Amino acid sequence: MIDLSPLKAQIGDKKIAIVGLGKSGLPVFEAARAAGIACVLWDDNADARAQAEKMGATVAPITAENIHDMALVCLSPGVPLTHPKPHEIVTLAQKAGVEVTGDIELFGRVQKKTLTIGITGTNGKSTTTALIGHILKSAGRKVEVGGNIGQAVLTLDPNADI
């Protein structure tokens, strides 16, 4: 698991909001909890909220009243940032001047010395990612493949090359 302690040092006692409690949101919570970062979690799906509560998470709506308590909002990939329209929590955060980010950005902030390759685009990302991972492993590199393919980025081995 990726150590978010450097993030804790930056935000102090402020909380982070985690919106979207699927394959990336819950690992953000686990990594944040391990680093001593207080979190408030939310998902529009009641089953996802119940699962997070079973994990010991504080689950509560993110509102105009509590958004100011947050150092940042970590948005899962499936939660709309802009398209087709921003999720209401994104709009709240923007109005309050609270940063909206994602798990990949958190990874980049705390794993500054880790060589990474980011692959974007519309089609072929998973195939390209798997192929690059295979090539680098075949070349003898200690490689982890994750993010929006396979493992959530914050569950990867922090000592891997990628």
Side-chain angles (χ1 to χ4, degrees):
M1 177 177 295
I2 302 301
D3 180 13
L4 291 181
S5 296
L7 177 64
K8 170 68 174 165
Q10 292 172 1
I11 67 172
D13 292 333
K14 284 208 132 193
K15 300 173 186 174
I16 65 170
I18 302 169
V19 181
L21 305 178
K23 291 182 180 182
S24 69
L26 292 177
V28 172
F29 167 65
E30 291 172 335
R33 177 171 53 183
I37 300 170
C39 303
V40 177
L41 282 63
W42 184 254
D43 196 295
D44 293 338
N45 181 292
D47 291 338
R49 294 192 305 264
Q51 180 183 355
E53 286 175 336
K54 286 179 186 174
M55 294 174 63
T58 299
V59 177
I62 309 300
T63 65
E65 290 76 34
N66 68 7
I67 192 73
H68 297 285
D69 298 335
M70 309 301 162
L72 59 87
V73 174
C74 185
L75 209 60
S76 292
V79 179
L81 175 64
T82 58
H83 218 57
K85 67 178 188 171
H87 189 280
E88 63 190 54
I89 295 173
V90 171
T91 303
L92 283 173
Q94 290 171 335
K95 285 180 181 176
V98 174
E99 177 186 14
V100 179
T101 191
D103 62 335
I104 301 293
E105 171 65 21
L106 297 181
F107 172 86
R109 288 183 189 179
V110 300
Q111 289 291 115
K112 293 180 182 192
K113 294 183 179 182
T114 300
L115 174 63
T116 58
I117 298 172
I119 299 166
T120 64
T122 304
N123 296 312
K125 293 180 299 296
S126 296
T127 301
T128 302
T129 301
L131 182 60
I132 290 171
H134 175 75
I135 290 168
L136 292 172
K137 285 179 185 176
S138 296
R141 300 294 299 259
K142 184 176 179 188
V143 175
E144 293 276 313
V145 174
N148 216 7
I149 177 177
Q151 289 182 252
V153 70
L154 294 183
T155 66
L156 298 176
D157 178 354
N159 298 310
D161 293 330
I162 299 177

